[in-house]
Amino acid sequence: KNKRLTKSKKGGRKKATDPFLKKEWYKLIAPSMFAVKDCGKTLITKTQGQKIASDYLKGRVVEVSLADLNRNESVAWRKIKLCVEDVQGYNCLLNFHGMDMTRDKLCSLIRKKQSIIEGSVDCRTTDGYVVRMFCIAFTKPQENQIKATCYAKSAQSRAIRAKMTSHMTELGTKGDLRSLVKELISAPIGEQIAREASAVFPVKDCFIRKVKVLKKPKFDVTELMEWHNADEAPVGDVGKPVEPPAEENLAGSGGRL
């Protein structure tokens, strides 16, 4: 007899369910140095048994335009990479992970009849991050130049590259990563390097093209919270500190007034 006829078939097809029903959204919170803190959302499968959602979120890298983070369209060509370091509730706290340039901006700078000079340097910040910075610059013709081309000689390129690397090393090693990122997104570092390099050969369109974080120190929650709470102003009316009342010249307990 075939007894298995009445039973349900083994290995029958599972009912197809929508995978998005098992997922949930987490907010991405950018460091406080940027104007916009809430910079997006990310998706993750809900915690199930041994698979904890927050463990799978940590280490995710998101790429955001600096125009969106700082509400400034003039720097739309800057891309900022942020890495999920910690998860608190449904908030993912992000930390700086790198910086880049959009391809169209880079392509708009490259032309014929000029030299490209590129330099890169590795430096360690005071708080233990190892950062690699890349710089790019282009030669330009001198004022009232008749010749069509403006190529730099190899010795001139080397001299300009040396100025680039020395400026970037000084920038990277003088402070912590937070102060470095603030300078990278606000200060005109490229212009400063171009000014120094112009003594060797006229230079234009000098930019810090790319920044990579190569090594990070051991994860520390308090340090991460500094990134997120450092620039926040105190909430509400705090008031002024009260001065203690000035004491009058009173005699001791046993003496006459």
Side-chain angles (χ1 to χ4, degrees), residues 208-225:
I208 301 288
R209 178 175 66 82
K210 195 174 190 178
V211 177
K212 288 181 184 177
V213 175
L214 300 180
K215 274 187 186 175
K216 293 182 179 182
K218 201 174 176 187
F219 175 68
D220 183 13
V221 179
T222 51
E223 207 171 282
L224 179 66
M225 294 318 293

Side-chain angles (χ1 to χ4, degrees), residues 194-206:
R195 216 173 298 129
E196 284 179 29
S198 289
V200 181
F201 199 97
V203 165
K204 63 171 182 178
D205 297 331
C206 185

Side-chain angles (χ1 to χ4, degrees), residues 34 64-72 75 78-80 185:
F34 300 108
V64 195
S65 171
L66 187 57
D68 296 337
L69 286 172
N70 276 356
R71 298 195 186 99
N72 181 7
V75 287
R78 265 267 178 260
K79 295 187 291 186
I80 304 289
I185 61 176

Side-chain angles (χ1 to χ4, degrees), residues 5-246:
L5 282 173
T6 50
K7 291 182 184 177
S8 62
K9 283 184 182 177
K10 216 174 187 182
R13 292 185 70 187
K14 275 187 180 178
K15 197 177 180 184
T17 54
D18 185 16
F20 277 81
L21 293 172
K22 294 179 184 173
K23 298 191 182 287
E24 51 195 355
W25 292 94
Y26 279 75
K27 263 189 193 175
L28 299 172
I29 309 294
S32 58
M33 67 181 70
F34 300 108
V36 178
K37 309 281 186 296
D38 189 357
C39 64
K41 292 193 172 186
T42 188
L43 201 61
I44 187 78
T45 308
K46 290 175 187 173
T47 301
Q48 199 173 23
Q50 297 285 308
K51 292 182 178 178
I52 298 161
S54 61
D55 291 351
Y56 286 88
L57 279 168
K58 284 171 191 172
R60 281 193 183 184
V61 176
V62 294
E63 196 172 66
V64 195
S65 171
L66 187 57
D68 296 337
L69 286 172
N70 276 356
R71 298 195 186 99
N72 181 7
E73 282 302 317
S74 63
V75 287
W77 49 271
R78 265 267 178 260
K79 295 187 291 186
I80 304 289
K81 277 185 180 176
L82 301 166
C83 180
V84 177
E85 294 271 307
D86 196 20
V87 180
Q88 295 181 354
Y90 281 95
N91 293 340
C92 299
L93 302 183
L94 303 171
N95 198 351
F96 181 77
H97 189 68
M99 192 175 79
D100 206 353
M101 228 171 165
T102 56
R103 189 180 171 85
D104 63 308
K105 171 74 173 175
L106 201 57
C107 292
S108 71
L109 301 172
I110 296 168
R111 302 210 181 117
K112 289 197 293 183
K113 297 176 184 176
Q114 63 181 20
S115 299
I116 300 177
I117 300 155
E118 288 186 290
S120 66
V121 72
D122 290 9
C123 48
R124 185 184 287 273
T125 60
T126 52
D127 52 354
Y129 286 84
V130 177
V131 178
R132 181 173 290 161
M133 289 193 275
F134 299 83
C135 183
I136 191 167
F138 302 86
T139 57
K140 67 175 180 181
Q142 291 174 333
E143 285 178 36
N144 51 47
Q145 179 178 314
I146 298 164
K147 192 168 73 168
T149 60
C150 53
Y151 298 124
K153 291 178 181 173
S154 60
Q156 289 169 326
S157 296
R158 277 201 303 275
I160 291 171
R161 202 172 291 117
K163 285 185 185 293
M164 279 179 181
T165 51
S166 68
H167 192 98
M168 287 192 291
T169 307
E170 187 191 329
L171 185 74
T173 52
K174 72 178 178 185
D176 59 355
L177 186 69
R178 198 157 71 242
S179 64
L180 174 65
V181 174
K182 276 184 186 174
E183 284 205 47
L184 288 169
I185 61 176
S186 58
I189 299 156
E191 288 174 24
Q192 293 164 15
I193 296 171
R195 216 173 298 129
E196 284 179 29
S198 289
V200 181
F201 199 97
V203 165
K204 63 171 182 178
D205 297 331
C206 185
F207 295 103
I208 301 288
R209 178 175 66 82
K210 195 174 190 178
V211 177
K212 288 181 184 177
V213 175
L214 300 180
K215 274 187 186 175
K216 293 182 179 182
K218 201 174 176 187
F219 175 68
D220 183 13
V221 179
T222 51
E223 207 171 282
L224 179 66
M225 294 318 293
E226 278 177 23
W227 279 79
H228 287 268
N229 303 331
D231 300 342
E232 285 181 12
V235 181
D237 185 17
V238 179
K240 292 176 184 175
V242 180
E243 290 179 11

